[in-house]
Every structure is written in structure tokens, then in C-alpha cells.
Amino acid sequence: MAERRSGSVQASNGKATSAGTAYNIDLNSFSTRLKKFYSHWNEHKSDLWGSVDVIAIATPPPSEDLRYLKSSALSTWLLGYEFPETIMIFMEKQLHFLCSQKKASLVEVLKTSAKEAVGVDVVIHVKVKTDDGSTQMDAIFRAIRAQSTPTIGHLAKEVPEGKLLDTWSGKLKNSGIELSDITYWLSDLFSIKDSVELTNVKKAAFLTASVMKNVVVPNLENVIDEEKKVTHSSFMDDTEKAIVDPTKAKVRLRPENVDICYPPIFQSGGKFDLRPSAASNDDYLHYDPPSVIICAIGSRYNSYCSNLARTFLIDANAQQSKAYGVLLKAHEVAISALRPGNKISDVYQAALSVVEKDAPDLVTKLTKSAGTGIGLEFRESGLSINAKNDRILKQGMVFNVSLGFQNLQSPEDKPKNQEFSLLLADTIVVGEKPEVVTSLSSKAVKDIAYSFNEDGDDNEEEERPKVKADAHGLETLSKTTLRSDNQEISKEELRRQHQAELARQKNEETARRLAGGGSGSGDNRTASRTSTDLIAYKNVNEVPPPRDCMIQIDQKNEAILLPIYGSMVPFHVATVRTVTSQQDTNRTCYIRIIFNVPGTAFNPHDANTLKFQGSIYLKEVSFRSKDPRHISEVVQGIKSLRRQVVARESERAERATLVTQEKLQLAGNKFKPIKLFDLWIRPVFGGRGRKMPGSLEAHVNGFRYSTSRPDERVDVMYGNIKHAFFQPVENEMITLVHFHLHNHIMVGTKKTKDVQFYVEVMDVVQTLGGGKRSAYDPDEIEEEQRERDRKNKVNMDFQSFVNRVNDLWGQPQFSGLDLEFDQPLRELGFHGVPYKSSAFIVPTSSCLVELIENPFLVITLAEIEIVNLERVGLGQKNFDLTIVFKDFKRDVLRIDSIPSTSLDGIKEWLNTTDIKYYESRLNLNWRQILKTITDDPQSFIDDGGWEFLNMEVSDSDSEQSEESDQGYEPSDVQSESESLSGSDSESLVESEDDEEDDEEEDSEEEEGKTWEELEREASNADREKGGESDSEEERNRRKTKTAFGKGRAPPPVSSSSAKRPLPSSSAKRPLPSSRRFSGSSSIKRPKNR
């Protein structure tokens, strides 16, 4: 880096190339900016430029130090390079350059452009290397004095460096010409950036945010998780290397165009300095809770700067959390105030008002400035965001909004935790909606706050599982195992406390949404589809002539002509509901045609029926024929034609509801499209031909999937993608990429929001031979190796495609889409039945997905209101998970038959993703519940919101037991006398009068058999007697409705079931609701219930 800083700085226009010492100046950019320079000078000569007639700029010699000088900035802005040891003199009719021979050859090409742009002559003065340039300077002063009483504007605050600038400074002071400082006014020239400058700022900001996200944060997590000792200066060195080598941050920028703005700053352990001039010391990173870590980094692209600062909280106490919340709110308010027309002071006042309102005691700790303008200079003079700057904000300005609290006190025992500071900084482009160009690095509390569970046993090694939220809100749990019951209790207690806080927040959020009309009443039913006017013939002349008074099918006009009373009467095939044929014993065939008639079942009232309400409709017609072959052909023809018309009209209706998509822009010469070959698509294209694989290509604004058939093509626009997933093969047979869309698209004739592209990695092969193959069979080993190689190759191809697309999406023009391929977290997955079949459901960072079985399941976590875990109780083997969405018009989603072994993991995942969950012993009637809420939202709010689902506060244990009994009580229970007299089998749970069974129960109780042993005995008895003929799934599906819920009813019992008396110990406690009875239909409860 020192070598790069010591020479000429790289081009800011991005077009100048170097080969040895050869450079090219972008003449178009030079002409545009020279014209802007003279225009600004002439327009504001009296008020901003101090009425100067000559502007003298002298650039110092190269240096290894990082520095920001107005002279170097003007040189870079105008010429695209920093020209060291060069003097530029701007006059009304002339532009003088005093430089070396090498630089003179570069500026020689500017003569024509300068003349055409502003009408000035470029005069070049060349000095030899050993000369101080006095002779050339005298010639320049003669040209200056040729003007009447000139005033020279110069940069008075820049200290001259080197022999050339010392000589120039001396001659300038002794010239007797009036001098004026123009430092402040050059910043006004630089303040509004053009499109090229904004692109450079955005690329620099993208690099800065990528380094923070992909390098700094993972390094911090690794050090903290593994409890390493690493110094702040080591972090600084690693981060600086990542900036100057963008590939380490997964950014595709040329290393020769990037540099650091300042050495990265890392601070912790109570020693904090919020100034950009601060330095990372050699102390070790301090992360003992509660602690604070501040990271600040800045990078340059083509000499344009960007800045970013984040504060990370480690097991923050209440004071630190509150202070960060206030700072975050103030920072966001300050950013939102950066709009054209506002004063710069308004930005600081907006942030200050938040602190004064939410934390008055922190006002004195707030930084006196909220940042500065940023561009070619890290701090542009005159654009400081403070309470006294009344300059007006304009479109195209760029600011580094940096806000912090300095030296706050914390009531902690450890000296390094007693004092802390907080800092946030982002790079912002001023606009009607301020653009945060460093938004790739999140500053939300869930993304910067880390927490640890400390082991309570001092004799064992301390174990602290890290909980860290990623950019989309899902928290990843380290795989640490709790070692004692005390820890388990502590873990459950922490989860309970967090859920209580989530309940409070959720009820407040729901109350605000309902009060604002966010979710109105009404069910989620779609209106019946209205068909278009279907006309077979517009007039009688179009009807074909009759042919032997036979039933005719007009394929062209989609009509059938029926002979009625000697005339051919046409009917559009869409009016036909069914057509059947049959043959009697006399070989007489009958054809029966039934039409769609208004008012019959399953017939929607479309526009045509409403148009002719007073008409008489033909409901049914039958014909007799002696020609069975003709009848068969007619039936098949009508069915085939009707199928075609219905499919066409259905597709037309589906397409009518589609949202118009933008047109795909092919990559062309911009870049080589990213491709993935030999893919299959789901849903599949229609048609009866052989299915063919295709290729997926990433273009400028979307994907295109196509096969060799011209009509099989699908375009997926980036702007329409809501979620993108990549799932490599593991236990399944396919590797896939999946897109969940905002709006429906058509794939063939199917309307869908989910499009998937996959490759079958392993074929399902069944060995026909009955013999077993040896594990050491060479053919078997070779086959397994081929499978592994193919699996690895496919996964690598997909991973490469995903990485390249992620890089494409990471470019500034796609920053507003917030797109990135998400990968399911299989270790958090669980089995369940979301639709009709069991599937493995897996969370991702922002969704809950199932991408193997069709229909696919994609649930956005941000759209979830609450989750209710149903049929949760002692002894249950399965439970259900009900998801209630924030849109109450949307039906809830039920995932059934989840194994109870997954319950604790699901609770922990829901808790770490900040989703409030409840538990119940019954399945609830959610449609009725949501209707009640939307009909009277105020009563729902007044009654405590969702807390009616909280079993801990709603009912006592006894009431819950009673409700649980009612939940599984069958609806067809007979009276005691009826069951005893009307059933040949004996009762499952005997009555109080059966003393023999009571004695048996007492004896079994004394033997001390466990509940599991009794379950096992009952199952064995059922199998012996054939009592378990019903499947588990059928028994799980039987429900009886209650007022707000549904209880589980037992399956029909078999009369052949053996009597199974229960011990009295089981009769002294409630039976679990998951208990499935098999035996007599005469069921009675235990006497000591």
C-alpha cells in the first residue's frame, strides 16, 4: 500500500489505464468538469469565490501518509489523477500548468478540449528535475499581472512541501498581489456529485459493508466463540488486507482501484475514542460480558471515500441496551432528515430531539457532530452536521452520518466494563428518500447483540453457547449440551421470560394494526371465476348444413349440432356438463348430454347466466342410435373438444390475473450470462410430449430457463423474487435452486408462485435379484464411488452458480432488492404433515420451507403473527403446529403429526427467532377465532389479546384436566345400561360395580408397572385380537368440534377386542389426550378422575 500511495493516484473515472508510465485522461470527463468549474466560478464569483480573478492550486509531492488535501482532490476531480508537484493556474482566458516533462506530455492532449469547453488556452511550463521552477513561475506571474488589479485565490491552509512548492509560496507572498483563501468554497464545488462520482461512492460503500459483513463479523464471532486472545491491531491488519484485496470480502473490484480511508479502528475494554483519527491499540479484544466492541472501517474506490461503524454488544446489561436503542433511533431519524431543501442543522436537531425525549440523561454524552460530507475527501469542510450549519441540502450530496455516545458509565465490578461508548456510522446519498449505501451491514439489535449461557458448575469447564442473529433475523445455536438439571431449568426460565416479553410486544403490535385497520374482516374465499362470452356462431348463415340428421361436432367453432325436431340446433361445447353413452340388450345405443343450467349444484353463476335471467334452459337431451361406433366417436369427440376449451379458458382466466412483469434484458455484451445446464423444472410444462431438460441463465435483470423446444421458456425477474433458496443433496435425491415469488407467473399453462430447478443426483434403483451383494463387492464399491463423485460435482456446479449470482446481486443496482440465496438449516429441521403427506420441514434464515415434496411449503417468518402448538400434553407421541399470519384474512396453516421429540427444538427455534408461541391441549377452530377477532377487534384488545391462549394464566390445572377429558370423549357414547345390554364386548374402563376388576387393578398397582409397560401390554393385546385395524393417521384425523376447538375422538371400536382393565393408579390421574382406545364402544371414565 505504501508503494501505491507514493505514486500517482489511480484514475477516478475508471477509464484511464496504465502501462508502465503511460496514462490516459478521460477527455469527456475533463471537458464536463472544467465547464462545471468555470460555471460555478462565474456564477458565485462575488459571494463564494471572494471576487478572485485567478485561482492557483499547487499539489504537494507524493507521500506514504494518508492525507486529504483540497489541491489533490481538485487534481483528481478534474484530471482523473492526482498530479503531484504540479501548479495549476486558472484564469479567464488561460489555464497554466507548471510540471515535469512526463506530466506535460499527459496534459498536452487537453488543449483542444479546454478550448472547446470554456474557451481557454492551455499553457504548459516544463521544469527540469533539478530546477526549482523560478523561471517558469516568473512567466506565470507576468501573465497574471497582465490582468488589471488581479486577486489570486489559493489554499491558505495547506502547508507547502518540497522545493517547488516552497519556491512558489515565497513568490506568491512577495508578489504584492492580493490573496484570498478559497478552501471553503472548493468544498461547495465538490459537494454535489454527478452520476460517475455517485457510482464510485456506492462501490466504495459496497466494499466497506461487505468487509464488515463477510470479514469483520465472522472474525469477531470466531474469536469470541473460541475464546481466543487477539489484539485490536491484529484485527486492524486483517481488515486492511481484506479492503485492499476485495476478493477476501467476496467483492469483485480491481485491487488497483481500492484503498483504505484510514486504518480500521477496533476498540473495547473501556478505552474508546470516537474520532476518525483514533487508532487501534495493542490491547487484547475484551469480550467478557457485559462488554462493548466498536468497529469502524472506511474504504475508497477511485479515490472516493465511504465510512461505516458498528457497535457490538456482548451480554449487554439494561443500561447498554437502552442506550443503544436510543442511539439507533436517533441515527435513523438523522438519516431520514437528509432530504433536499432541509438545513444541515435540522439533521442534528432531529437526532438531538430523540435523545432529549427518550434519554435526557444522555444528551451531554451525545457527540457534538452527527457526521460530515464525504467524497474525494473523508471530511468535506463546510458540510459538518452540527447544530450551527445552516447550509441547504441538495440532491446528490453524500454524507457520512456518524453518531455516538461517549464515556457512559456502567455499574459493573470489572474495571474494563465500567465505562463504554457507542458509535454508529453509515454513508448516505441525499435524495427524496435518502439512500443508505452501506445498508448491507445491519445495525439492528438482533444482528449486533450476542448472548452467552454461562455454566453454573465451577468444577466443570465453562461452556457458553453463542446465540447470534444473522442478517435476516434467524439465530443460529451452537451445538452445546446443557450438563445439569439446573441448567435445563435456567434455560427454560430464560425462554419463558423472553416469551413473556414477546407476548407483550405482539399484543401491542396487533392492537396498533387492528386499530389502524390493517386486517379487516372477511374470509379468505376467492370469488367465483366469471367466464367470457362464448359464442359458437354469430348468425344463422355460419351454421354448417345438416348431414343426414346426425349429431355433428364443429371443431373450428367449438360447437356441437344436435338434431331436434328435424333442425340442427347448435350448442357451444362449454355449455355441456357431461356426456355419456350406454348400450342395451337389443344393441341399441343411447347418448345422454347434460348441460350446465343455472341453479343446479356445482354450477357457478357466470356472466352469461346473469345476462339471460328470464330465459328457458335445456337441461338434458338423449338420443338413440343403432350405430354404436358413431355414438362412441361422438362421445369421445365432445369430451376431447370440451377438455380443450376448458383448458384454454382456464389458462386465459389465470393469465388475466397476472401482474405484468418487466421485460428480460439479455446479458449481451455487458457480461457473460451465468449458466447452469441439464436442469429439470417444477412445475413441469404442459403437453404430452417427452419431457426435456433445459438450462438456467442469469441475465441483467432476471433468469431465463429454456429447453430445446421454442415454446418451453420461463423468465423469472429479479424484482419478482421474494426468496431464493439453494439446497444441496444430502438425504434426498436432488440438488435444487428454488424461487418463491412476489407475484404469480405462468409456467406452461400453470399459474404458480414457486419455481424450482433441480438435478437428480442419484437414481432410485431396485435390485431385481433376491441375493444380497457383499459389502466388499468391487462393483458395489465402484458404483458407490461414482455416486459420490456425481453428487460432489453437481453440488459444486450449483454452489458455483449460486456464488456468482450472489456476487451479481451484491452490486449496488440490486441493493434495494435484498436478494441472496438462502440455504436450509437441516440441523433445525423436523418431520410433519403440512398438506397430505409427511415431509421434512426445514427453517432458513428468513423462512420455514419444504422444497422436496409437491406442493412446496414456503412460509415467510416476518409474516407470522403467532404459533400455537396443539395437542401438547403428557404422553403424547405427536403434536400439531398451527401458524397464524398477520393477515387475519389468510387461513392458518396446520402442520400435523410432528414427533414430540422435536418439541423442545421447535420451541427453542421459535424463541430465538422472536416468534411468540403458545401451547394448547386441543386443536382450535381458528376460522371462528379469527372471525371473532376481526368482527370486534376492540374486545379482543381489551381482553388481553392473544393471552387467552396462555394455559398458565387462563385455567387452573383441574379445569384443564376436565377440558382434556372432554376433548377425547367420543360423541357416540351410549348410556351405561345401553352399553351393557347392547354390546357383546366388554367395556374398556370398567364401572364402579366391578369389584373383581378393582381388585385386579389394586394388585397391578402394587406390582408397580409403569405407564409405558401398560401401553405396551395394551398394544400387544390389541394386535392379538385385531383391535388395531385402523391406522394411526386415521385415528389422528378424527376430531369432534367444541365451542372454540376440536377434541380428538377415538376410532370405531371392534367387538372382538379383549377386555383390558386399567390399574387404579392410572384412574387417579387424568389420561393423556393422545391415548387411543381400542375395545368396546361402552367407554366410562375411571371412578377417581
Side-chain angles (χ1 to χ4, degrees), residues 355-366:
V355 181
E356 289 175 339
K357 179 182 178 181
D358 295 351
D361 54 316
L362 299 181
V363 171
T364 57
K365 304 294 185 181
L366 185 67

Side-chain angles (χ1 to χ4, degrees), residues 198 200-206 208-209 261-262 297-299 304-310 331 335 338 372-375 378 397-402 424-430 434-440 443:
L198 289 177
N200 289 331
V201 169
K202 290 178 180 180
K203 288 184 178 181
F206 178 71
T208 302
C261 290
Y262 55 87
I297 56 177
S299 63
Y304 283 83
C305 300
S306 65
N307 189 47
L308 175 68
R310 293 290 181 261
H331 195 253
I335 291 174
L338 285 170
T372 61
I374 193 171
F378 185 75
M397 288 183 171
V398 181
F399 285 87
N400 163 35
V401 181
S402 178
L424 287 176
D426 277 297
T427 305
I428 315 296
V429 176
V430 176
E435 183 180 359
V436 184
V437 291
T438 49
S439 59
L440 183 63
K443 58 188 172 186

